[in-house]
Amino acid sequence: MESAKPRLLTILDIVTIVMLVIATWMVFLYAPMEAVMGNVQRVFYFHVAAGWVGMLGFLVAAIAGIAYLRTGRRDWDITSLSAVEIGMVFAFINVVTGSIWARPIWNTWWTWDPRLTTATIMLLIYAAYLLLRQGIEDPDRRARFGAVYVIIGFLSVPLTFFSARLFRTIHPVVIGTNQPGAEGAFDMTTVMLQTFLFALLTFTFIFADLLWHRIRLGKLADQVEQKKLKVMA
Amino acid sequence: MKENTTLVQVSTRSQSFGFFRAMSAVVWKDLAAELRGRELISAMLVFALLVILIFNFALELDAETRSTVTSGVLWVTFAFAGTLGLNRSMAMEKDRGCLDGLLLAPVDRSAIYFGKAIGNLIFMLIVEMIVLPVYSLLYNTNLFNPGLLLVILLGSIGYVAVGTLLSSMAVQTRTRDVLLPILLFPVAIPVFIAAVRASTGFLQGIDMAEIQPWLSLLITYDVVFTAVAFMVFDYVVEE
């Protein structure tokens, strides 16, 4: 039975919050304004970092899914679900910040660029994952099906990206927004690179911190469930 | 030593023989049930024709539009009719407790998966082979292109490989009727994109070099997802 919050987790909380404050300061005050795009370019630092955490979450979920199928330990199922939930939030942040940037730079909120298409389909896959889990009462079966779907979903993502890209290269769009590097590309200065890397690191810490919290929550919920069953029996 | 190896050989041979026998028994069971009841194919077929009819009005399929959207219309029709069939084929097993009976049989579980998948593939191909001439007749275009037939085969294999696995999960949930398309469509997007592009390519007589990557993509999808489904099917039917 674990109940007390581990000391290390508290330390990680504090470190993460401090890092987030520093990263925010770096993004708004330390990094220089980009010459062509102006201030809107600053969204880039957290945009890429959120996308990275989204992908990391789905990768962790798939690995935890494989581990669950091999070992059958409940902890892996909780890890997998937690990683998907966190990954979805950050993938969504990634899409929203991308739209904010795209409006002035590409002159549209949305375009069917391969990356954007893949991000959308990825979110739909994990929404389907949550719906699947919702429809199953037996926790053992829910864990097994969840693991199977999270593996299948993760495998299909690179194929989706590849086919979406091929779709565009064979059928080019006249407006030059179909290549991510084409519109709104820029060279990073050293200070920008520092800010960017620090934002990546910060978001990785946020991911680790949230994942730890969420797994702890999942385990505690499990314990409550078991105690409830014991009382009812 | 030599005796040992022959023993091993014999046992593996009888094992693989048993696998094929079990698989074809499942396929045969599905085909026989369909021959007697005719519920699956007729439902899929009528549904497919209705979808085409709706598209006719939704898109105003005049001669000019048709040349560019035909493969899109066909693949949406196949996908919708396919989901209907996949759902029904697994729900039938679940309803009368047939699945439990199948699982009790002392055969490899993957033989059951391949049996169901091949059965579903046959039903889907039959529907497609009826829809194609009907579409050709209704819209006065010739769809009998060997390239197109190849694309339909490859696309259907990938779709059914994932669909059979996911439908056997979907029928075991509370929300079974609505869940299959939600689970299947986002994962099957690469199949749709590749199949639609390759079909358009063949219908418009585009250079083979431009169609080739789409065919490779379809084959990759088929191989990867058949292999994965084969590996994880045990966990889906385990009790």
Side-chain angles (χ1 to χ4, degrees):
Chain A
M1 289 283 146
E2 55 173 306
S3 47
K5 185 175 169 186
R7 163 87 41 92
L8 197 60
L9 182 56
T10 314
I11 297 171
L12 185 63
D13 284 349
I14 295 165
V15 170
T16 309
I17 291 171
V18 170
M19 280 177 82
L20 185 60
V21 171
I22 297 174
T24 314
W25 172 76
M26 281 177 95
V27 165
F28 285 105
L29 299 170
Y30 180 66
M33 191 168 87
E34 212 272 329
V36 184
M37 288 182 274
N39 272 328
V40 72
Q41 180 268 337
R42 292 184 198 276
V43 92
F44 155 85
Y45 303 110
F46 282 5
H47 167 71
V48 178
W52 150 248
V53 170
M55 279 314 288
L56 188 65
F58 298 143
L59 176 69
V60 170
I63 293 172
I66 294 170
Y68 176 80
L69 290 186
R70 292 192 69 101
T71 62
R73 284 185 50 198
R74 288 273 303 139
D75 294 0
W76 286 119
D77 179 50
I78 296 172
T79 310
S80 193
L81 173 65
S82 312
V84 165
E85 285 180 358
I86 298 168
M88 272 188 85
V89 170
F90 280 89
F92 190 68
I93 292 174
N94 175 253
V95 170
V96 171
T97 50
S99 270
I100 293 171
W101 176 84
R103 178 67 190 148
I105 304 301
W106 286 346
N107 206 17
T108 171
W109 294 107
W110 189 261
T111 166
W112 290 105
D113 161 86
R115 284 176 205 226
L116 278 70
T117 313
T118 312
T120 320
I121 293 167
M122 209 161 65
L123 278 172
L124 285 172
I125 289 176
Y126 292 101
Y129 168 83
L130 295 179
L131 282 173
L132 171 68
R133 294 187 67 108
Q134 229 171 44
I136 310 169
E137 267 124 36
D138 176 24
D140 190 44
R141 180 183 289 169
R142 186 167 55 214
R144 262 187 290 119
F145 286 14
V148 166
Y149 193 67
V150 96
I151 295 167
I152 299 259
F154 191 73
L155 279 177
S156 80
V157 169
L159 283 171
T160 304
F161 180 70
F162 184 66
S163 54
R165 202 167 66 176
L166 206 59
F167 188 86
R168 286 305 179 203
T169 43
I170 282 185
H171 252 268
V173 177
V174 186
I175 311 157
T177 51
N178 59 336
Q179 278 156 347
E183 293 274 328
F186 59 97
D187 293 318
M188 276 196 277
T189 64
T190 327
V191 174
M192 281 174 158
L193 192 66
Q194 283 167 0
T195 313
F196 172 59
L197 291 178
F198 191 75
L200 275 189
L201 190 68
T202 306
F203 270 62
T204 312
F205 268 72
I206 295 178
F207 174 71
D209 191 50
L210 286 177
L211 187 64
W212 194 343
H213 274 291
R214 181 62 186 82
I215 291 172
R216 222 172 78 86
L217 178 69
K219 283 185 184 168
L220 289 174
D222 249 24
Q223 287 174 14
V224 171
E225 195 71 22
Q226 275 161 18
K227 281 189 179 153
K228 221 191 259 170
L229 286 178
K230 220 179 265 173
V231 171
M232 285 204 290
Chain B
M1 192 67 193
K2 196 160 188 201
E3 260 172 50
N4 264 344
T5 42
T6 32
L7 254 176
V8 169
Q9 269 173 357
V10 166
S11 76
T12 46
R13 192 183 302 154
S14 73
Q15 224 171 19
S16 66
F17 181 67
F19 181 89
F20 280 110
R21 246 190 22 180
M23 191 178 80
S24 49
V26 175
V27 177
W28 189 242
K29 167 193 79 72
D30 275 3
L31 289 181
E34 184 55 31
L35 265 177
R36 286 176 199 147
R38 288 192 195 82
E39 8 177 69
L40 207 78
I41 289 188
S42 49
M44 282 167 82
L45 198 60
V46 172
F47 183 75
L49 295 176
L50 285 171
V51 172
I52 289 181
L53 190 82
I54 289 171
F55 267 124
N56 180 45
F57 295 108
L59 297 178
E60 300 225 15
L61 291 176
D62 51 58
E64 211 176 312
T65 337
R66 239 179 286 143
S67 63
T68 52
V69 300
T70 293
S71 56
V73 169
L74 283 177
W75 276 103
V76 171
T77 309
F78 294 160
F80 285 179
T83 341
L84 206 70
L86 286 167
N87 232 342
R88 186 81 202 113
S89 139
M90 269 299 165
M92 242 152 41
E93 300 287 355
K94 192 70 188 161
D95 280 347
R96 296 162 206 165
C98 301
L99 193 60
D100 299 326
L102 270 181
L103 295 177
L104 282 176
V107 294
D108 200 340
R109 292 269 163 91
S110 46
I112 299 171
Y113 166 75
F114 279 115
K116 287 304 285 184
I118 290 172
N120 286 331
L121 183 64
I122 291 173
F123 295 147
M124 201 163 159
L125 288 176
I126 291 174
V127 171
E128 287 163 346
M129 286 313 112
I130 299 174
V131 166
L132 274 189
V134 172
Y135 189 95
S136 311
L137 195 83
L138 287 178
Y139 295 105
N140 198 21
T141 43
N142 182 18
L143 291 181
F144 277 91
N145 180 321
L148 180 67
L149 297 182
L150 174 71
V151 175
I152 287 178
L153 179 67
L154 289 176
S156 305
I157 290 175
Y159 191 70
V160 162
V162 184
T164 306
L165 177 75
L166 294 182
S167 69
S168 45
M169 295 204 314
V171 292
Q172 297 182 60
T173 64
R174 205 155 19 94
T175 43
R176 50 154 88 175
D177 294 322
V178 291
L179 205 53
L180 179 63
I182 292 175
L183 292 178
L184 179 55
F185 285 172
V187 178
I189 291 271
V191 175
F192 294 142
I193 299 180
V196 168
R197 299 314 305 174
S199 309
T200 309
F202 278 118
L203 287 178
Q204 296 185 337
I206 288 173
D207 198 27
M208 192 58 199
E210 282 192 24
I211 306 175
Q212 187 56 49
W214 296 116
L215 291 181
S216 316
L217 192 71
L218 277 176
I219 293 168
T220 313
Y221 189 96
D222 291 358
V223 171
V224 169
F225 281 91
T226 310
V228 174
F230 165 72
M231 284 190 279
V232 297
F233 187 71
D234 265 11
Y235 299 106
V236 168
V237 291
E238 190 179 273
E239 278 308 319

